[in-house]
Amino acid sequence: MAAEAHVLVFPCPAQGHINSMLPFAAALLDAGVFVTFLHTDHNFRRATSVAGSPRLRFLSIPDGLPDDHPRSLGDMLELEKSLREVGAVRYRALLASLSSAGHPSQDASDGCVDGFLPVTCVVADGLLTWAIDSAEELGVPALAFRTSSASSFLAYQTVHRLVELGEIPFPAGGGGLDEPVRGVPGMESFLRRRDLPSVFRRRSGGTDGGVDPDLDPILHVFAEVTAHSRKARALVFNTTASLEAPALAHIAPRMRDVFAVGPVHAVPSPSPAPAPASSLWTEDAGCVAWLDGQADRSVVYVSLGSLAVITRDQFTEFLSGLVAAGYPFLWVLRQDMVGASQDQDATTPQEAIKAAAGNNKARVVTWAPQRDVLRHRAVGCFLTHAGWNSTLEGVAEGVPMVCWPFFGDQQINSRLVGAVWRNGLDMKDVCERGVVERMVREAMESDAIRSSAQGLARVVRRDVGDAGSSAREFQRLVRFIKELSVEDAKSNHQN
């Protein structure tokens, strides 16, 4: 029989990465590919995903941390170390069994396990370099999937050049953050120091005796992970050439192949079955009913993502600015998002919002069905951390944005929104009530911003539609994966 493609999709165990790679897995299903989606045990227990297809299954491996570990942003390096040391061993054993046609639990007549053919390809999160290496060592071709923007990937790709040019590291504060950065190709016209990820800034504990000691160790890690993508059979981005053509053009010559297939959440599905849900939190569907009672384009939607943690003072500035802007707002406020107050008698954030805005002007939820919210007629702008998923979701729905980036690729994403695409405003490095009020009002009321946002949405929708650039790239990717499966089948037959 002809070889069929069976892809193991393995995201980094964080909400934003799952949000990107699960819709990608659903698109593979629609293309006729078998998919095994790999969670960590911890996330598998939390996930609301349901296998709605006979060609999709969810499996998991341990991440090596105890069940009650918070796995918060501050624990990410600990999680990465544990996953690399404990999870990697279990991953390798699992992949060896899933990719072996002679596994004892399989039906000898067709080489299937529970109706699934052996895994013929791995698409692993680009941050999980060991998952790519282990797959190739086992003879399973591996692709890297990056859930961040191509522009931020390019910035990490040019770290060594920026050091050689003396452009990094630079002081974390002071008046020099608006100095232009010339060393990232294709971004010379708009990139400033403050638009690079915060790890590019000089460490406070660094020495003045040389450049390297001043670099944040995390920057070294990201630069190495980025360089590792050259080892993968191909690099897949959740982006489109309409948004990031210059970055993609500069990345491609250094990779074996590059595919720009996004935004994957907006890819139309021919399947009548609902796409598997990706949220690790319980979504408050009642907020959509609340939006139903609001006027068109009257509501500010506020969400700073799944990892950002703000101080009580920052929360107060956001709240004061939102109330002063005068618009109703829907605020996603995770329980762990606002730091503890030193005042023992301080009200909770939820109580503070109720007291400041009242029940009629504000709705607070711990998690929201964001894509449904952004496409709702009542939402007029999106105050966001500019994570890549949120940025793409706002772009696809044509919603003006106010960006307050927190870390990682968010700094570059917010600059793209404010200075390149002009579908919103960039509020980085500032958290003052007057600025929040002014920018929210401008995003809600500016005809120019709304026109740019809606025009960009039309372009991106065409990209993922029939014969669009992302649709063509995805078809090319599926052919690439199927060809790898045929080559793998031939190799196994010869051996």
Side-chain angles (χ1 to χ4, degrees), residues 4-8 28-29 32-36 54-56 115-117:
E4 291 194 64
H6 177 187
V7 179
L8 184 141
L28 289 176
L29 288 175
V33 176
F34 285 82
V35 176
T36 293
R55 288 178 287 105
L56 170 66
F116 279 72
L117 294 163

Side-chain angles (χ1 to χ4, degrees), residues 9-25 37 39 43 46 71 73 76 79 125-127 145-149 237-238 264-265 277-281 283 303-308 334 367 370-371 385-393 407 409-410 413:
V9 177
F10 187 15
C12 186
Q15 180 68 76
H17 296 250
I18 296 168
N19 281 355
S20 181
M21 295 186 73
L22 195 52
F24 170 73
F37 196 89
H39 279 297
N43 285 347
R46 296 176 62 195
R71 294 167 175 82
L73 180 62
M76 284 299 104
L79 172 59
D125 197 304
L127 300 185
F145 189 108
R146 287 303 294 257
T147 61
S148 62
S149 61
F237 281 110
N238 182 24
V264 291
H265 81 277
S278 61
S279 180
L280 300 178
W281 282 275
E283 297 173 341
S303 177
L304 301 180
S306 60
L307 291 174
R334 304 185 329 269
W367 202 247
Q370 180 160 290
R371 294 165 193 164
H385 63 309
W388 190 236
N389 288 322
S390 290
T391 300
L392 290 176
E393 289 164 7
F407 77 111
D409 66 329
Q410 298 162 16
N413 302 343

Side-chain angles (χ1 to χ4, degrees), residues 253 265 289 294 316 404 445:
H265 81 277
Q294 306 299 319
T316 301
W404 190 72
E445 299 167 9

Side-chain angles (χ1 to χ4, degrees), residues 14-344:
Q15 180 68 76
H17 296 250
I18 296 168
N19 281 355
S20 181
M21 295 186 73
L22 195 52
F24 170 73
L28 289 176
L29 288 175
D30 285 335
V33 176
F34 285 82
V35 176
T36 293
F37 196 89
L38 189 61
H39 279 297
T40 58
D41 292 344
H42 178 78
N43 285 347
F44 184 80
R45 288 190 292 269
R46 296 176 62 195
T48 57
S49 302
V50 177
S53 165
R55 288 178 287 105
L56 170 66
R57 66 180 172 190
F58 295 94
L59 299 178
S60 65
I61 58 170
D63 63 17
L65 296 176
D67 289 343
D68 59 355
H69 192 284
R71 294 167 175 82
S72 61
L73 180 62
D75 303 311
M76 284 299 104
L77 287 180
E78 183 183 358
L79 172 59
E80 188 279 331
K81 181 175 183 291
S82 179
L83 190 60
R84 179 164 31 88
E85 294 177 352
V86 177
V89 176
R90 296 292 293 274
Y91 161 80
R92 186 183 180 98
L94 176 65
L95 181 58
S97 68
L98 295 178
S99 60
S100 172
H103 190 266
S105 65
Q106 294 174 333
D107 183 334
S109 64
D110 60 8
C112 294
V113 181
D114 300 328
F116 279 72
L117 294 163
V119 166
T120 59
C121 178
V122 166
V123 178
D125 197 304
L127 300 185
L128 304 178
T129 56
W130 47 266
I132 294 170
D133 291 341
S134 289
E136 290 288 349
E137 290 165 6
L138 291 170
V140 182
L143 286 66
F145 189 108
R146 287 303 294 257
T147 61
S148 62
S149 61
S151 299
S152 65
F153 181 93
L154 180 59
Y156 286 119
Q157 196 177 48
T158 55
V159 164
H160 295 299
R161 182 170 184 239
L162 291 172
V163 171
E164 291 172 357
L165 294 172
E167 294 204 284
I168 62 169
F170 48 83
L177 291 180
D178 286 320
E179 289 293 316
V181 174
R182 305 295 187 190
V184 183
M187 299 189 214
E188 299 90 345
S189 65
F190 65 87
L191 197 65
R192 308 163 299 178
R193 286 177 171 178
R194 71 171 72 250
D195 304 318
L196 290 170
S198 57
V199 292
F200 282 70
R201 303 180 187 187
R202 179 174 286 115
R203 289 191 299 150
S204 59
T207 66
D208 295 326
V211 172
D212 241 17
D214 289 344
L215 290 179
D216 192 312
I218 297 178
L219 179 56
H220 288 287
V221 172
F222 275 105
E224 291 172 1
V225 166
T226 300
H228 184 276
S229 294
R230 290 177 295 187
K231 297 181 179 180
R233 302 295 180 101
L235 177 60
V236 183
F237 281 110
N238 182 24
T239 192
T240 172
S242 294
L243 296 178
E244 298 193 276
L248 292 166
H250 287 288
I251 292 168
R254 304 188 193 185
M255 300 294 137
R256 296 168 72 173
D257 206 342
V258 172
F259 297 87
V261 300
V264 291
H265 81 277
V267 173
S269 174
S271 173
S278 61
S279 180
L280 300 178
W281 282 275
T282 301
E283 297 173 341
D284 186 333
C287 64
V288 176
W290 180 81
L291 288 172
D292 289 342
Q294 306 299 319
D296 290 358
R297 297 178 181 172
S298 67
V299 176
V300 180
Y301 172 55
V302 185
S303 177
L304 301 180
S306 60
L307 291 174
V309 177
I310 61 177
T311 66
R312 185 70 185 222
D313 287 343
Q314 289 172 327
F315 163 76
T316 301
E317 294 299 309
F318 272 119
L319 176 57
S320 300
L322 286 166
V323 171
Y327 293 99
F329 57 88
L330 168 61
W331 195 339
V332 176
L333 200 66
R334 304 185 329 269
Q335 292 181 350
D336 63 343
M337 182 175 157
V338 181
S341 172
Q342 295 180 350
D343 183 356
Q344 297 298 320

